[in-house]
Amino acid sequence: MKVGILAVQGDFEAHAKMLTRLGVEPRFVRTVADLSGLAALILPGGESTTHLKFLLEEGLRDPIRQFAQAGGALFGTCAGAILLAREVKNPSQESLGLADLTVVRNAYGRQLASDVRFGPTRLRAQPLEMVFIRAPIIERVGLGVEVLAECDGRPVLVRDGRVLAATFHPELTDDTTVHEAFLKLARNGR
Amino acid sequence: MQFMESNTWRVKVGLAEMLKGGVIMDVTSVEQARIAERAGACAVMALERVPADIRKEGGVARMASPKIIREIMAAVSIPVMAKVRIGHFAEAQVLEALEVDFIDESEVLTPADEQHHIWKHDFRVPFVCGARNLGEALRRIAEGAAMIRTKGEAGSGNIVEAVRHLRAITSEIRRLTTLRREALVHAAKELQAPLELVEWVAQHGRLPVPNFSAGGIATPADAALVMQLGAEAVFVGSGIFKSADPEQRARAIVKATTHYNDPKIVLEASEELGEAMRGIDIRQLEEKELLQTRGW
């Protein structure tokens, strides 16, 4: 199975290390041609405004939407989750609109509010360690969206069909649970 | 090193990780900050004067006024950094109270202490510091810097010093990876850096924090050069807003930084640009005019 990672900017290498640990060879995606033959695509953390501008300029927005429509699985962390959401606030900005979510950018505050927390997850019995960096908040989840993890009573890891979105950074921990769940989703469609 | 296990350290380095592969631009006004954000900057550095002007005008260069930093923080949604003088921990306390996202303890400003840098572990805001070689980088990391950048020669528009510093750091790292344990003790003595950090670098073959490049980047090809030499992101100071075409040049440097390994795209980015900032031959500068020799 081929898994791509959008490599505009941000922590794409941390995702690559996770995939390598799980026996999957990652492919960095910077052009439309890089998407061909992929089963899944990861949108990493970084600055969502920078990523969005890149997707528009490189003409990657519509090909990624088509990739999702054709059954490709997507996983966004932090900035990636912002790009996947249907609606983005603070400030409002364009997005791919592939998950039925409303996301508020930098909703905890500036870097001083960045923190490591723990929260319950449906992926396993023990809580997940969650690294939040200038993180967004998921303000609304659509009817078909499954909440897979919460922190302080808020949804922080959600699934809408074949799209997985996390407001924290599982790639910055040693725990492969979330990436394993994504690879399973990419393989089985659920 | 024990501090590397703490959650505070992890979120500091975590933000530096998010900036990788991007361009951090010096800005002196709200308007410039908006241009930088529109052009795809992953962060901005709020300043009163860019290094080229500090060099030209002289005088004491201090932390920017909180007013301008606050205005820039309100105007853009990307992280905002600001500079403090080397050793001036009270300026850093002010910036932390202001809630900037990153503090640059910078040789570009006039040093406040000729022996000591700030003990950066006392702060929850992450710090970036300049370095010319591995020893300097490791001393700054020991003090708590969560990101290292080459010093280069700020405000010169000349890439030669950034290249020198980047090559020095990467080749010293490579050398450490070939040494036996007992030789690492000697290396630590020579580098004037803590043995534990020297051992960490020898074992991992990299710095324990992201390694960015700054000081003299003026063109898309400059950015591609330092990225290929191992920089993980670039800072552009005077290079953008001292050029004939800031917005276009900002976009071009962002593009070249993302596609640094693809000469065709770096070519595309280099075309249709106006005149770059006028550079300075470093050999024409007197010792006292160099900014890179500040810091200990």
Side-chain angles (χ1 to χ4, degrees), chain A residues 9-11 46-47 49-50 53 57-58 105-106 110-112 129 134 169, chain B residues 10-11 15 18 20 38-42 77-79 99 101 124 251 259:
Chain A
Q9 181 273 316
D11 69 340
E47 277 309 308
T49 51
T50 308
K53 186 194 144 274
E57 270 191 9
E58 289 297 320
R105 289 184 61 202
N106 298 331
R110 306 192 71 93
Q111 171 63 10
L112 279 178
E129 187 185 38
R134 285 173 44 96
H169 295 281
Chain B
R10 287 171 67 199
V11 297
L15 181 56
M18 296 310 143
K20 276 186 181 174
R38 269 206 307 275
C42 66
S77 64
I78 54 180
E99 299 194 12
D101 297 297
R124 287 180 54 238
R251 284 176 192 282
H259 295 286

PDB file of all heavy atoms in Angstrom, chain A residues 9-11 46-47 49-50 53 57-58 105-106 110-112 129 134 169, chain B residues 10-11 15 18 20 38-42 77-79 99 101 124 251 259:
ATOM      1  N   GLN A   9       5.480  21.836   3.995  1.00  0.00           N
ATOM      2  CA  GLN A   9       6.062  22.554   5.120  1.00  0.00           C
ATOM      3  C   GLN A   9       5.459  21.895   6.350  1.00  0.00           C
ATOM      4  O   GLN A   9       4.400  21.305   6.267  1.00  0.00           O
ATOM      5  CB  GLN A   9       5.637  24.023   4.989  1.00  0.00           C
ATOM      6  CG  GLN A   9       6.107  25.014   6.007  1.00  0.00           C
ATOM      7  CD  GLN A   9       5.174  25.041   7.182  1.00  0.00           C
ATOM      8  OE1 GLN A   9       3.961  25.045   7.038  1.00  0.00           O
ATOM      9  NE2 GLN A   9       5.742  25.028   8.367  1.00  0.00           N
ATOM     10  N   GLY A  10       6.165  21.945   7.476  1.00  0.00           N
ATOM     11  CA  GLY A  10       5.624  21.395   8.718  1.00  0.00           C
ATOM     12  C   GLY A  10       6.298  20.095   9.117  1.00  0.00           C
ATOM     13  O   GLY A  10       7.431  19.831   8.719  1.00  0.00           O
ATOM     14  N   ASP A  11       5.571  19.253   9.891  1.00  0.00           N
ATOM     15  CA  ASP A  11       6.244  18.065  10.449  1.00  0.00           C
ATOM     16  C   ASP A  11       6.005  16.812   9.618  1.00  0.00           C
ATOM     17  O   ASP A  11       5.717  15.749  10.156  1.00  0.00           O
ATOM     18  CB  ASP A  11       5.856  17.874  11.924  1.00  0.00           C
ATOM     19  CG  ASP A  11       4.413  17.454  12.119  1.00  0.00           C
ATOM     20  OD1 ASP A  11       3.596  17.671  11.197  1.00  0.00           O
ATOM     21  OD2 ASP A  11       4.110  16.905  13.186  1.00  0.00           O
ATOM     22  N   GLY A  46       1.620  22.055  10.642  1.00  0.00           N
ATOM     23  CA  GLY A  46       2.384  23.145  10.042  1.00  0.00           C
ATOM     24  C   GLY A  46       1.493  24.366  10.079  1.00  0.00           C
ATOM     25  O   GLY A  46       0.646  24.483  10.960  1.00  0.00           O
ATOM     26  N   GLU A  47       1.644  25.247   9.122  1.00  0.00           N
ATOM     27  CA  GLU A  47       0.770  26.417   9.064  1.00  0.00           C
ATOM     28  C   GLU A  47      -0.282  26.228   7.981  1.00  0.00           C
ATOM     29  O   GLU A  47       0.059  26.112   6.801  1.00  0.00           O
ATOM     30  CB  GLU A  47       1.592  27.686   8.824  1.00  0.00           C
ATOM     31  CG  GLU A  47       2.186  28.249  10.098  1.00  0.00           C
ATOM     32  CD  GLU A  47       1.147  28.414  11.216  1.00  0.00           C
ATOM     33  OE1 GLU A  47       0.100  29.038  10.965  1.00  0.00           O
ATOM     34  OE2 GLU A  47       1.368  27.896  12.324  1.00  0.00           O
ATOM     35  N   THR A  49      -2.416  28.213   6.623  1.00  0.00           N
ATOM     36  CA  THR A  49      -2.489  29.237   5.564  1.00  0.00           C
ATOM     37  C   THR A  49      -1.429  28.970   4.494  1.00  0.00           C
ATOM     38  O   THR A  49      -1.682  29.115   3.300  1.00  0.00           O
ATOM     39  CB  THR A  49      -2.250  30.657   6.125  1.00  0.00           C
ATOM     40  OG1 THR A  49      -1.051  30.647   6.901  1.00  0.00           O
ATOM     41  CG2 THR A  49      -3.389  31.111   7.003  1.00  0.00           C
ATOM     42  N   THR A  50      -0.227  28.559   4.939  1.00  0.00           N
ATOM     43  CA  THR A  50       0.862  28.251   4.012  1.00  0.00           C
ATOM     44  C   THR A  50       0.490  27.034   3.154  1.00  0.00           C
ATOM     45  O   THR A  50       0.687  27.033   1.931  1.00  0.00           O
ATOM     46  CB  THR A  50       2.155  27.963   4.802  1.00  0.00           C
ATOM     47  OG1 THR A  50       2.387  29.035   5.717  1.00  0.00           O
ATOM     48  CG2 THR A  50       3.355  27.836   3.880  1.00  0.00           C
ATOM     49  N   LYS A  53      -2.367  27.903   0.578  1.00  0.00           N
ATOM     50  CA  LYS A  53      -1.866  28.692  -0.537  1.00  0.00           C
ATOM     51  C   LYS A  53      -1.127  27.778  -1.520  1.00  0.00           C
ATOM     52  O   LYS A  53      -1.267  27.888  -2.735  1.00  0.00           O
ATOM     53  CB  LYS A  53      -0.908  29.755   0.005  1.00  0.00           C
ATOM     54  CG  LYS A  53      -0.443  30.727  -1.040  1.00  0.00           C
ATOM     55  CD  LYS A  53       0.741  31.511  -0.549  1.00  0.00           C
ATOM     56  CE  LYS A  53       1.707  31.776  -1.670  1.00  0.00           C
ATOM     57  NZ  LYS A  53       2.681  30.735  -1.934  1.00  0.00           N
ATOM     58  N   GLU A  57      -1.992  27.093  -5.433  1.00  0.00           N
ATOM     59  CA  GLU A  57      -1.004  27.446  -6.464  1.00  0.00           C
ATOM     60  C   GLU A  57      -0.547  26.245  -7.284  1.00  0.00           C
ATOM     61  O   GLU A  57      -0.326  26.353  -8.479  1.00  0.00           O
ATOM     62  CB  GLU A  57       0.215  28.102  -5.820  1.00  0.00           C
ATOM     63  CG  GLU A  57       0.056  29.595  -5.737  1.00  0.00           C
ATOM     64  CD  GLU A  57       1.351  30.281  -5.347  1.00  0.00           C
ATOM     65  OE1 GLU A  57       2.401  29.620  -5.315  1.00  0.00           O
ATOM     66  OE2 GLU A  57       1.277  31.496  -5.078  1.00  0.00           O
ATOM     67  N   GLU A  58      -0.379  25.108  -6.614  1.00  0.00           N
ATOM     68  CA  GLU A  58       0.101  23.911  -7.321  1.00  0.00           C
ATOM     69  C   GLU A  58      -1.037  23.198  -8.046  1.00  0.00           C
ATOM     70  O   GLU A  58      -0.809  22.177  -8.690  1.00  0.00           O
ATOM     71  CB  GLU A  58       0.736  22.926  -6.336  1.00  0.00           C
ATOM     72  CG  GLU A  58       2.072  23.357  -5.770  1.00  0.00           C
ATOM     73  CD  GLU A  58       3.170  23.494  -6.830  1.00  0.00           C
ATOM     74  OE1 GLU A  58       3.230  22.633  -7.742  1.00  0.00           O
ATOM     75  OE2 GLU A  58       3.939  24.453  -6.733  1.00  0.00           O
ATOM     76  N   ARG A 105      -9.584  27.907  14.338  1.00  0.00           N
ATOM     77  CA  ARG A 105      -8.112  27.945  14.382  1.00  0.00           C
ATOM     78  C   ARG A 105      -7.597  28.594  15.663  1.00  0.00           C
ATOM     79  O   ARG A 105      -8.244  29.483  16.213  1.00  0.00           O
ATOM     80  CB  ARG A 105      -7.563  28.737  13.181  1.00  0.00           C
ATOM     81  CG  ARG A 105      -7.733  28.013  11.867  1.00  0.00           C
ATOM     82  CD  ARG A 105      -7.077  28.822  10.754  1.00  0.00           C
ATOM     83  NE  ARG A 105      -5.659  28.987  11.000  1.00  0.00           N
ATOM     84  CZ  ARG A 105      -4.916  29.960  10.466  1.00  0.00           C
ATOM     85  NH1 ARG A 105      -5.460  30.859   9.677  1.00  0.00           N
ATOM     86  NH2 ARG A 105      -3.631  30.025  10.732  1.00  0.00           N
ATOM     87  N   ASN A 106      -6.391  28.167  16.084  1.00  0.00           N
ATOM     88  CA  ASN A 106      -5.701  28.736  17.263  1.00  0.00           C
ATOM     89  C   ASN A 106      -6.662  28.983  18.429  1.00  0.00           C
ATOM     90  O   ASN A 106      -6.590  29.995  19.115  1.00  0.00           O
ATOM     91  CB  ASN A 106      -5.013  30.064  16.900  1.00  0.00           C
ATOM     92  CG  ASN A 106      -3.938  29.871  15.841  1.00  0.00           C
ATOM     93  OD1 ASN A 106      -3.329  28.800  15.759  1.00  0.00           O
ATOM     94  ND2 ASN A 106      -3.697  30.881  15.032  1.00  0.00           N
ATOM     95  N   ARG A 110      -2.328  31.322  21.953  1.00  0.00           N
ATOM     96  CA  ARG A 110      -1.048  31.317  21.247  1.00  0.00           C
ATOM     97  C   ARG A 110      -0.161  30.193  21.771  1.00  0.00           C
ATOM     98  O   ARG A 110      -0.619  29.319  22.503  1.00  0.00           O
ATOM     99  CB  ARG A 110      -0.390  32.688  21.394  1.00  0.00           C
ATOM    100  CG  ARG A 110      -1.302  33.847  20.954  1.00  0.00           C
ATOM    101  CD  ARG A 110      -0.556  35.135  20.834  1.00  0.00           C
ATOM    102  NE  ARG A 110       0.335  35.107  19.690  1.00  0.00           N
ATOM    103  CZ  ARG A 110       0.001  35.552  18.465  1.00  0.00           C
ATOM    104  NH1 ARG A 110      -1.172  36.081  18.234  1.00  0.00           N
ATOM    105  NH2 ARG A 110       0.871  35.475  17.484  1.00  0.00           N
ATOM    106  N   GLN A 111       1.138  30.222  21.453  1.00  0.00           N
ATOM    107  CA  GLN A 111       2.042  29.134  21.821  1.00  0.00           C
ATOM    108  C   GLN A 111       2.044  28.835  23.318  1.00  0.00           C
ATOM    109  O   GLN A 111       2.207  27.692  23.728  1.00  0.00           O
ATOM    110  CB  GLN A 111       3.463  29.455  21.323  1.00  0.00           C
ATOM    111  CG  GLN A 111       4.571  28.513  21.821  1.00  0.00           C
ATOM    112  CD  GLN A 111       4.401  27.074  21.351  1.00  0.00           C
ATOM    113  OE1 GLN A 111       3.567  26.758  20.505  1.00  0.00           O
ATOM    114  NE2 GLN A 111       5.200  26.176  21.927  1.00  0.00           N
ATOM    115  N   LEU A 112       1.858  29.856  24.165  1.00  0.00           N
ATOM    116  CA  LEU A 112       1.864  29.611  25.614  1.00  0.00           C
ATOM    117  C   LEU A 112       0.783  28.616  26.029  1.00  0.00           C
ATOM    118  O   LEU A 112       0.883  27.978  27.069  1.00  0.00           O
ATOM    119  CB  LEU A 112       1.684  30.934  26.381  1.00  0.00           C
ATOM    120  CG  LEU A 112       2.953  31.777  26.543  1.00  0.00           C
ATOM    121  CD1 LEU A 112       2.636  33.068  27.275  1.00  0.00           C
ATOM    122  CD2 LEU A 112       4.037  30.999  27.284  1.00  0.00           C
ATOM    123  N   GLU A 129      -1.865   9.883  24.707  1.00  0.00           N
ATOM    124  CA  GLU A 129      -1.092  11.094  24.992  1.00  0.00           C
ATOM    125  C   GLU A 129      -1.263  12.030  23.794  1.00  0.00           C
ATOM    126  O   GLU A 129      -1.092  11.619  22.645  1.00  0.00           O
ATOM    127  CB  GLU A 129       0.385  10.745  25.174  1.00  0.00           C
ATOM    128  CG  GLU A 129       1.199  11.935  25.626  1.00  0.00           C
ATOM    129  CD  GLU A 129       2.683  11.640  25.708  1.00  0.00           C
ATOM    130  OE1 GLU A 129       3.201  10.910  24.828  1.00  0.00           O
ATOM    131  OE2 GLU A 129       3.327  12.132  26.643  1.00  0.00           O
ATOM    132  N   ARG A 134      -0.482  25.144  19.341  1.00  0.00           N
ATOM    133  CA  ARG A 134      -1.329  26.191  18.741  1.00  0.00           C
ATOM    134  C   ARG A 134      -2.521  25.531  18.036  1.00  0.00           C
ATOM    135  O   ARG A 134      -2.825  25.800  16.869  1.00  0.00           O
ATOM    136  CB  ARG A 134      -0.514  27.033  17.742  1.00  0.00           C
ATOM    137  CG  ARG A 134       0.444  28.020  18.418  1.00  0.00           C
ATOM    138  CD  ARG A 134       1.366  28.731  17.423  1.00  0.00           C
ATOM    139  NE  ARG A 134       0.703  29.192  16.229  1.00  0.00           N
ATOM    140  CZ  ARG A 134       0.237  30.432  16.022  1.00  0.00           C
ATOM    141  NH1 ARG A 134       0.418  31.359  16.929  1.00  0.00           N
ATOM    142  NH2 ARG A 134      -0.353  30.750  14.896  1.00  0.00           N
ATOM    143  N   HIS A 169      -1.094  16.061  17.752  1.00  0.00           N
ATOM    144  CA  HIS A 169      -0.026  15.524  16.895  1.00  0.00           C
ATOM    145  C   HIS A 169       0.417  14.136  17.345  1.00  0.00           C
ATOM    146  O   HIS A 169       1.441  14.017  18.041  1.00  0.00           O
ATOM    147  CB  HIS A 169       1.180  16.456  16.911  1.00  0.00           C
ATOM    148  CG  HIS A 169       0.926  17.791  16.307  1.00  0.00           C
ATOM    149  ND1 HIS A 169       0.918  18.011  14.942  1.00  0.00           N
ATOM    150  CD2 HIS A 169       0.647  18.987  16.870  1.00  0.00           C
ATOM    151  CE1 HIS A 169       0.660  19.276  14.699  1.00  0.00           C
ATOM    152  NE2 HIS A 169       0.480  19.896  15.858  1.00  0.00           N
TER     153      HIS A 169
ATOM    154  N   ARG B  10       8.981  19.529  24.983  1.00  0.00           N
ATOM    155  CA  ARG B  10       8.369  18.884  23.808  1.00  0.00           C
ATOM    156  C   ARG B  10       7.478  19.848  23.039  1.00  0.00           C
ATOM    157  O   ARG B  10       7.462  19.817  21.805  1.00  0.00           O
ATOM    158  CB  ARG B  10       7.574  17.652  24.230  1.00  0.00           C
ATOM    159  CG  ARG B  10       8.491  16.492  24.628  1.00  0.00           C
ATOM    160  CD  ARG B  10       7.704  15.365  25.251  1.00  0.00           C
ATOM    161  NE  ARG B  10       6.807  14.715  24.309  1.00  0.00           N
ATOM    162  CZ  ARG B  10       5.773  13.977  24.686  1.00  0.00           C
ATOM    163  NH1 ARG B  10       5.471  13.841  25.947  1.00  0.00           N
ATOM    164  NH2 ARG B  10       5.026  13.395  23.778  1.00  0.00           N
ATOM    165  N   VAL B  11       6.721  20.702  23.731  1.00  0.00           N
ATOM    166  CA  VAL B  11       5.872  21.621  22.959  1.00  0.00           C
ATOM    167  C   VAL B  11       6.681  22.788  22.377  1.00  0.00           C
ATOM    168  O   VAL B  11       6.315  23.342  21.351  1.00  0.00           O
ATOM    169  CB  VAL B  11       4.626  22.133  23.729  1.00  0.00           C
ATOM    170  CG1 VAL B  11       3.696  20.988  24.070  1.00  0.00           C
ATOM    171  CG2 VAL B  11       4.988  22.915  24.949  1.00  0.00           C
ATOM    172  N   LEU B  15       6.685  23.258  18.262  1.00  0.00           N
ATOM    173  CA  LEU B  15       6.367  24.410  17.403  1.00  0.00           C
ATOM    174  C   LEU B  15       7.463  24.599  16.352  1.00  0.00           C
ATOM    175  O   LEU B  15       7.176  24.878  15.186  1.00  0.00           O
ATOM    176  CB  LEU B  15       6.169  25.693  18.221  1.00  0.00           C
ATOM    177  CG  LEU B  15       5.816  26.932  17.376  1.00  0.00           C
ATOM    178  CD1 LEU B  15       4.562  26.701  16.521  1.00  0.00           C
ATOM    179  CD2 LEU B  15       5.633  28.170  18.239  1.00  0.00           C
ATOM    180  N   MET B  18       6.862  22.434  13.489  1.00  0.00           N
ATOM    181  CA  MET B  18       5.778  22.889  12.605  1.00  0.00           C
ATOM    182  C   MET B  18       6.264  23.939  11.600  1.00  0.00           C
ATOM    183  O   MET B  18       5.597  24.219  10.626  1.00  0.00           O
ATOM    184  CB  MET B  18       4.627  23.489  13.424  1.00  0.00           C
ATOM    185  CG  MET B  18       3.934  22.503  14.338  1.00  0.00           C
ATOM    186  SD  MET B  18       3.457  20.996  13.489  1.00  0.00           S
ATOM    187  CE  MET B  18       3.770  19.813  14.782  1.00  0.00           C
ATOM    188  N   LYS B  20       9.228  23.790  10.073  1.00  0.00           N
ATOM    189  CA  LYS B  20      10.184  23.197   9.130  1.00  0.00           C
ATOM    190  C   LYS B  20       9.710  23.324   7.682  1.00  0.00           C
ATOM    191  O   LYS B  20       8.519  23.222   7.408  1.00  0.00           O
ATOM    192  CB  LYS B  20      10.366  21.720   9.449  1.00  0.00           C
ATOM    193  CG  LYS B  20      11.370  21.439  10.544  1.00  0.00           C
ATOM    194  CD  LYS B  20      11.560  19.941  10.638  1.00  0.00           C
ATOM    195  CE  LYS B  20      12.534  19.563  11.720  1.00  0.00           C
ATOM    196  NZ  LYS B  20      12.590  18.094  11.874  1.00  0.00           N
ATOM    197  N   ARG B  38       0.343  36.447   3.185  1.00  0.00           N
ATOM    198  CA  ARG B  38      -0.247  36.151   1.867  1.00  0.00           C
ATOM    199  C   ARG B  38       0.721  35.402   0.971  1.00  0.00           C
ATOM    200  O   ARG B  38       0.325  34.589   0.154  1.00  0.00           O
ATOM    201  CB  ARG B  38      -0.616  37.464   1.155  1.00  0.00           C
ATOM    202  CG  ARG B  38      -2.006  37.963   1.402  1.00  0.00           C
ATOM    203  CD  ARG B  38      -2.502  38.821   0.236  1.00  0.00           C
ATOM    204  NE  ARG B  38      -1.624  39.919  -0.136  1.00  0.00           N
ATOM    205  CZ  ARG B  38      -1.624  41.114   0.447  1.00  0.00           C
ATOM    206  NH1 ARG B  38      -2.453  41.372   1.427  1.00  0.00           N
ATOM    207  NH2 ARG B  38      -0.793  42.054   0.047  1.00  0.00           N
ATOM    208  N   ALA B  39       2.015  35.704   1.140  1.00  0.00           N
ATOM    209  CA  ALA B  39       3.019  35.085   0.270  1.00  0.00           C
ATOM    210  C   ALA B  39       3.351  33.659   0.715  1.00  0.00           C
ATOM    211  O   ALA B  39       4.090  32.951   0.040  1.00  0.00           O
ATOM    212  CB  ALA B  39       4.284  35.935   0.259  1.00  0.00           C
ATOM    213  N   GLY B  40       2.832  33.247   1.880  1.00  0.00           N
ATOM    214  CA  GLY B  40       3.060  31.874   2.323  1.00  0.00           C
ATOM    215  C   GLY B  40       4.110  31.713   3.411  1.00  0.00           C
ATOM    216  O   GLY B  40       4.576  30.603   3.660  1.00  0.00           O
ATOM    217  N   ALA B  41       4.482  32.807   4.093  1.00  0.00           N
ATOM    218  CA  ALA B  41       5.410  32.690   5.228  1.00  0.00           C
ATOM    219  C   ALA B  41       4.786  31.781   6.284  1.00  0.00           C
ATOM    220  O   ALA B  41       3.578  31.806   6.484  1.00  0.00           O
ATOM    221  CB  ALA B  41       5.679  34.070   5.831  1.00  0.00           C
ATOM    222  N   CYS B  42       5.619  30.968   6.973  1.00  0.00           N
ATOM    223  CA  CYS B  42       5.069  30.110   8.027  1.00  0.00           C
ATOM    224  C   CYS B  42       5.129  30.817   9.374  1.00  0.00           C
ATOM    225  O   CYS B  42       4.576  30.324  10.360  1.00  0.00           O
ATOM    226  CB  CYS B  42       5.788  28.773   8.059  1.00  0.00           C
ATOM    227  SG  CYS B  42       7.502  28.898   8.552  1.00  0.00           S
ATOM    228  N   SER B  77      -2.536  35.401  11.352  1.00  0.00           N
ATOM    229  CA  SER B  77      -2.882  34.209  12.140  1.00  0.00           C
ATOM    230  C   SER B  77      -1.706  33.251  12.272  1.00  0.00           C
ATOM    231  O   SER B  77      -1.786  32.255  12.979  1.00  0.00           O
ATOM    232  CB  SER B  77      -4.074  33.500  11.494  1.00  0.00           C
ATOM    233  OG  SER B  77      -3.711  33.035  10.205  1.00  0.00           O
ATOM    234  N   ILE B  78      -0.603  33.525  11.575  1.00  0.00           N
ATOM    235  CA  ILE B  78       0.584  32.664  11.684  1.00  0.00           C
ATOM    236  C   ILE B  78       1.388  33.065  12.938  1.00  0.00           C
ATOM    237  O   ILE B  78       1.168  34.141  13.487  1.00  0.00           O
ATOM    238  CB  ILE B  78       1.474  32.761  10.411  1.00  0.00           C
ATOM    239  CG1 ILE B  78       1.830  34.214  10.107  1.00  0.00           C
ATOM    240  CG2 ILE B  78       0.770  32.133   9.226  1.00  0.00           C
ATOM    241  CD1 ILE B  78       2.699  34.399   8.859  1.00  0.00           C
ATOM    242  N   PRO B  79       2.329  32.202  13.411  1.00  0.00           N
ATOM    243  CA  PRO B  79       3.092  32.543  14.609  1.00  0.00           C
ATOM    244  C   PRO B  79       3.895  33.833  14.437  1.00  0.00           C
ATOM    245  O   PRO B  79       4.377  34.132  13.350  1.00  0.00           O
ATOM    246  CB  PRO B  79       4.045  31.352  14.773  1.00  0.00           C
ATOM    247  CG  PRO B  79       3.385  30.230  14.058  1.00  0.00           C
ATOM    248  CD  PRO B  79       2.649  30.849  12.911  1.00  0.00           C
ATOM    249  N   GLU B  99       2.974  37.409  25.129  1.00  0.00           N
ATOM    250  CA  GLU B  99       2.562  36.138  24.516  1.00  0.00           C
ATOM    251  C   GLU B  99       2.972  35.997  23.047  1.00  0.00           C
ATOM    252  O   GLU B  99       2.199  35.469  22.231  1.00  0.00           O
ATOM    253  CB  GLU B  99       1.049  35.881  24.677  1.00  0.00           C
ATOM    254  CG  GLU B  99       0.631  35.783  26.125  1.00  0.00           C
ATOM    255  CD  GLU B  99      -0.762  35.201  26.310  1.00  0.00           C
ATOM    256  OE1 GLU B  99      -1.332  34.659  25.342  1.00  0.00           O
ATOM    257  OE2 GLU B  99      -1.264  35.294  27.436  1.00  0.00           O
ATOM    258  N   ASP B 101       4.983  34.069  20.104  1.00  0.00           N
ATOM    259  CA  ASP B 101       5.062  32.613  19.959  1.00  0.00           C
ATOM    260  C   ASP B 101       6.485  32.081  20.028  1.00  0.00           C
ATOM    261  O   ASP B 101       6.701  30.903  20.332  1.00  0.00           O
ATOM    262  CB  ASP B 101       4.429  32.208  18.620  1.00  0.00           C
ATOM    263  CG  ASP B 101       2.949  32.550  18.576  1.00  0.00           C
ATOM    264  OD1 ASP B 101       2.201  31.988  19.391  1.00  0.00           O
ATOM    265  OD2 ASP B 101       2.551  33.397  17.764  1.00  0.00           O
ATOM    266  N   ARG B 124       8.481  29.728  29.318  1.00  0.00           N
ATOM    267  CA  ARG B 124       7.603  28.758  28.647  1.00  0.00           C
ATOM    268  C   ARG B 124       7.511  29.059  27.154  1.00  0.00           C
ATOM    269  O   ARG B 124       7.113  28.198  26.361  1.00  0.00           O
ATOM    270  CB  ARG B 124       6.218  28.745  29.300  1.00  0.00           C
ATOM    271  CG  ARG B 124       6.271  28.050  30.677  1.00  0.00           C
ATOM    272  CD  ARG B 124       4.919  28.019  31.365  1.00  0.00           C
ATOM    273  NE  ARG B 124       3.912  27.423  30.491  1.00  0.00           N
ATOM    274  CZ  ARG B 124       2.803  28.039  30.118  1.00  0.00           C
ATOM    275  NH1 ARG B 124       2.540  29.250  30.535  1.00  0.00           N
ATOM    276  NH2 ARG B 124       1.951  27.433  29.341  1.00  0.00           N
ATOM    277  N   ARG B 251       7.023  35.428  -2.324  1.00  0.00           N
ATOM    278  CA  ARG B 251       6.414  34.226  -2.907  1.00  0.00           C
ATOM    279  C   ARG B 251       7.464  33.318  -3.530  1.00  0.00           C
ATOM    280  O   ARG B 251       7.426  32.097  -3.393  1.00  0.00           O
ATOM    281  CB  ARG B 251       5.434  34.603  -4.034  1.00  0.00           C
ATOM    282  CG  ARG B 251       4.131  35.132  -3.554  1.00  0.00           C
ATOM    283  CD  ARG B 251       3.248  35.574  -4.741  1.00  0.00           C
ATOM    284  NE  ARG B 251       2.125  36.334  -4.246  1.00  0.00           N
ATOM    285  CZ  ARG B 251       1.048  35.777  -3.687  1.00  0.00           C
ATOM    286  NH1 ARG B 251       0.937  34.473  -3.618  1.00  0.00           N
ATOM    287  NH2 ARG B 251       0.090  36.523  -3.210  1.00  0.00           N
ATOM    288  N   HIS B 259      10.456  23.596  -2.876  1.00  0.00           N
ATOM    289  CA  HIS B 259      10.923  22.749  -3.986  1.00  0.00           C
ATOM    290  C   HIS B 259      12.438  22.839  -4.151  1.00  0.00           C
ATOM    291  O   HIS B 259      12.936  22.797  -5.262  1.00  0.00           O
ATOM    292  CB  HIS B 259      10.261  23.194  -5.291  1.00  0.00           C
ATOM    293  CG  HIS B 259       8.785  23.002  -5.324  1.00  0.00           C
ATOM    294  ND1 HIS B 259       8.192  21.774  -5.463  1.00  0.00           N
ATOM    295  CD2 HIS B 259       7.765  23.879  -5.207  1.00  0.00           C
ATOM    296  CE1 HIS B 259       6.864  21.909  -5.459  1.00  0.00           C
ATOM    297  NE2 HIS B 259       6.600  23.186  -5.298  1.00  0.00           N
TER     298      HIS B 259
END
